């Protein structure tokens, strides 16, 4: 069975996974969630709060749950005007087929319809090889289990966008967050939409400093975890 396409409250698309019966993005607004959780509270927090705009020339991002490609595409769109090179790695065990991708409206809703071909390219490029999507954005999609990630001090920001603890409890454990902690550089940031207490405690148990933040509309709280230097 293929994911079902639905339109969220902000007009942008989301998908409903046939196995987990879970949405890829918030039904209250897919783009709104991406903007608020991963861009504003994650990437731009890393860049601005740590006062790195003038010294950072590149930023490495890991996404757990590449899925529809919304977070990757949104990151590309929102950073293309900055003097910043993005190296983006997206991990996905359930790749979405192009017949579904072609029906998603992210380029239109992000007001960049001329970049629809860029969004398509992000999904069409081969897996497990880095591809330069634009002069400032390199994407590597990895079709493997997160348990197989071998990375130490490699990423500045992690978008932790797996399905929730109810659907995939194995991805919200201390063992997974230990892998995430080791993968981040010092002062790196992990951002997630989930504010479950058990997930927060699992992050703290492996060394993260965790803050519970106000969430986007219809979401009370989100979590930001920092690997302090």
């Amino acid at each position: 069975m293929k994911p079902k396409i639905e339109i969220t409250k902000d007009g942008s698309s989301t998908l409903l996974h046939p196995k987990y019966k879970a949405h890829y993005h918030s039904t209250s607004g897919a783009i709104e969630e991406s903007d608020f959780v991963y861009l504003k509270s994650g990437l731009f927090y890393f860049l601005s709060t740590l006062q790195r705009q003038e010294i950072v020339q590149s930023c490495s991002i890991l996404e757990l749950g590449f899925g529809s490609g919304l977070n990757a595409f949104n990151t590309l769109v929102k950073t293309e005007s900055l003097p910043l090179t993005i190296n983006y790695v997206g991990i996905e065990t359930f790749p979405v087929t192009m017949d579904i991708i072609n029906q998603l409206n992210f380029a239109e809703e992000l007001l960049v319809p001329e970049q629809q071909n860029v969004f398509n390219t992000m999904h069409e490029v081969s897996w497990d090889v880095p591809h330069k999507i634009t002069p400032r954005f390199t994407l590597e999609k990895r079709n493997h289990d997160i348990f197989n990630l071998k990375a130490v001090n490699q990423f500045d920001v992690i978008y932790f966008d797996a399905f929730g603890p109810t659907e995939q409890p194995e991805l919200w454990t201390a063992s997974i967050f230990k892998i995430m902690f080791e993968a981040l550089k010092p002062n790196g940031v992990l951002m997630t939409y989930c504010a479950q207490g058990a997930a927060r405690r699992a992050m703290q148990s492996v060394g993260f400093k965790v803050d519970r933040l106000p969430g986007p509309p219809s979401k009370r709280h989100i979590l930001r975890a920092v690997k302090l230097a």
Side-chain angles (χ1 to χ4, degrees):
M1 294 179 63
K2 295 182 179 180
K4 178 184 176 183
I5 301 171
E6 298 182 6
I7 300 299
T8 68
K9 290 183 180 179
D10 68 3
S12 56
S13 307
T14 190
L15 299 174
L16 179 65
H17 196 280
K19 176 181 177 181
Y20 294 111
K21 307 301 181 185
H23 289 94
Y24 283 58
H25 314 290
S26 172
T27 57
S28 294
I31 288 176
E32 187 173 53
E33 178 187 51
S34 179
D35 279 338
F36 190 99
V37 178
Y38 299 107
L39 276 295
K40 176 184 175 182
S41 304
L43 175 59
F44 290 122
Y45 169 83
F46 172 78
L47 295 173
S48 63
T49 304
L50 300 180
Q51 298 181 345
R52 299 186 171 195
Q53 303 100 313
E54 302 301 323
I55 62 173
V56 168
Q57 296 180 333
S58 65
C59 183
S60 296
I61 300 173
L62 171 68
E63 180 178 17
L64 177 58
F66 181 78
S68 70
L70 170 57
N71 290 328
F73 183 57
N74 198 17
T75 299
L76 182 153
V77 170
K78 299 293 172 56
T79 61
E80 277 293 281
S81 63
L82 303 179
L84 182 68
T85 297
I86 300 290
N87 298 301
Y88 199 105
V89 173
I91 294 178
E92 179 57 57
T93 55
F94 304 104
V96 181
T97 58
M98 284 305 301
D99 61 320
I100 297 294
I101 294 303
N102 288 332
Q103 299 178 64
L104 301 179
N105 66 0
F106 300 141
E108 178 183 354
E109 292 298 318
L110 284 167
L111 305 180
V112 288
E114 72 282 0
Q115 295 200 51
Q116 181 65 48
N117 63 324
V118 174
F119 177 66
N120 290 348
T121 297
M122 295 173 80
H123 286 277
E124 291 167 344
V125 294
S126 57
W127 291 80
D128 302 309
V129 178
H131 296 274
K132 189 172 286 292
I133 306 299
T134 72
R136 290 182 176 172
F137 192 99
T138 298
L139 171 66
E140 180 180 351
K141 301 180 300 180
R142 298 182 185 176
N143 184 207
H144 66 64
D145 195 294
I146 188 61
F147 288 97
N148 296 323
L149 180 68
K150 306 295 182 183
V152 177
N153 296 337
Q154 184 175 336
F155 298 100
D156 298 299
V157 178
I158 294 177
Y159 298 167
F160 200 87
D161 199 18
F163 290 124
T166 300
E167 294 79 23
Q168 289 187 300
E170 71 277 8
L171 297 184
W172 299 86
T173 62
S175 60
I176 286 292
F177 290 118
K178 180 66 173 177
I179 295 172
M180 300 292 98
F181 187 86
E182 293 177 350
L184 279 173
K185 300 175 185 177
N187 291 319
V189 172
L190 180 150
M191 199 68 222
T192 185
Y193 66 90
C194 176
Q196 185 197 64
R200 183 179 73 252
R201 291 188 291 272
M203 294 177 194
Q204 292 169 329
S205 74
V206 302
F208 279 113
K209 177 185 179 298
V210 184
D211 292 312
R212 190 173 68 168
L213 311 174
S218 81
K219 182 72 177 175
R220 290 185 62 189
H221 297 106
I222 57 179
L223 295 180
R224 180 166 60 216
V226 178
K227 178 181 179 178
L228 297 178

